[in-house]
Amino acid sequence: MFWYHDEIEALEKQRTASEHNPDTIFYGSSTIRLWPDLQTDFKDLNAVNLGFGGSTLAACTWFFDRVMLGYQPKRLVLYAGDNDLGDGRHPEEVFLFFQQFAARVNHEFGDIPCYYITLKPSIARWGIVDRFKFTNHIIGEEIKNNLPNWHLIDIFSAMLNADGYPNAEYFLDDGLHLSEKGYDVWRDSIKNALS
């Protein structure tokens, strides 16, 4: 986990320097970190961006204390797991990391509303799309059956074209990160879920 050190240290400094407590934490991988207008898009939710590049769900859990402690959010939005699968982990491993993360959130923040954004159908990782679908399914079932304060935001379906493939307009040339239009879809989907 040493390769995340600089970004985690920056997030720690950001928390220390902050003069107000955000109501909404956005946490997760580079899809969150690179969101250019996140705080503006969710200004009414008093949001803070705590994403760090390349992060896995395992890393989000590992660094929870260093990044989160000191905040007192009213809600949390998480996007992670994409990179775990990209690194060769299995859906069941990602599921276990999610369970650990949810338990950590509950221990620290109580039963605040939490939102898990399903893994996106990126062009670059379409070759392992079945793993993405299965991960989304088992995490969705866990939320439905065992985590009443968690909610699933289905971004996967929203990013497909009429033929059932990733809509290229929503991605940058790398086929992984989001374009401006992609972030528009995310913004609208998340706002609908949180309203």
Side-chain angles (χ1 to χ4, degrees):
M1 298 284 182
F2 65 91
W3 51 88
Y4 299 117
H5 177 75
D6 289 346
E7 287 197 59
I8 295 300
E9 198 171 65
L11 290 173
E12 289 177 309
K13 289 177 180 176
Q14 175 182 325
R15 182 191 63 232
T16 303
S18 178
E19 296 182 356
H20 78 288
N21 189 57
D23 293 329
T24 308
I25 288 177
F26 281 77
Y27 188 51
S29 64
S30 58
T31 305
I32 297 295
R33 183 182 68 83
L34 296 172
W35 196 321
D37 302 313
L38 187 144
Q39 287 175 299
T40 303
D41 286 343
F42 299 98
K43 185 176 181 181
D44 55 328
L45 298 177
N46 186 21
V48 65
N49 186 335
L50 300 183
F52 55 106
S55 65
T56 58
L57 191 45
C60 287
T61 305
W62 180 263
F63 289 115
F64 184 93
D65 287 358
R66 287 183 61 184
V67 175
M68 295 287 193
L69 297 192
Y71 289 110
Q72 296 177 321
K74 295 179 180 177
R75 67 190 66 81
L76 182 144
V77 181
L78 172 68
Y79 181 76
D82 195 329
N83 291 322
D84 302 72
L85 295 177
D87 290 345
R89 288 197 170 102
H90 297 285
E92 293 84 355
E93 293 178 273
V94 180
F95 174 76
L96 291 175
F97 295 138
F98 173 75
Q99 284 185 314
Q100 292 168 6
F101 183 84
R104 192 70 196 87
V105 171
N106 184 259
H107 180 267
E108 184 59 34
F109 299 135
D111 59 353
I112 64 169
C114 296
Y115 301 84
Y116 181 76
I117 303 170
T118 60
L119 305 183
K120 67 184 185 293
S122 60
I123 298 167
R125 292 176 174 162
W126 192 247
I128 55 171
V129 67
D130 288 344
R131 292 185 183 187
F132 278 66
K133 289 179 179 178
F134 186 58
T135 303
N136 287 337
H137 171 71
I138 58 179
I139 290 178
E141 287 296 299
E142 176 72 1
I143 288 172
K144 182 173 73 173
N145 296 322
N146 299 311
L147 299 171
N149 62 308
W150 279 82
H151 311 275
L152 197 71
I153 301 176
D154 178 16
I155 208 68
F156 189 97
S157 301
M159 298 192 73
L160 299 176
N161 62 25
D163 297 321
Y165 292 98
N167 189 327
E169 290 187 341
Y170 298 154
F171 294 91
L172 298 178
D173 290 342
D174 64 5
L176 184 63
H177 295 100
L178 299 185
S179 66
E180 184 177 345
K181 289 184 178 179
Y183 278 115
D184 288 344
V185 172
W186 278 52
R187 180 198 63 225
D188 293 345
S189 296
I190 293 170
K191 281 191 171 185
N192 287 338
L194 270 62
S195 62

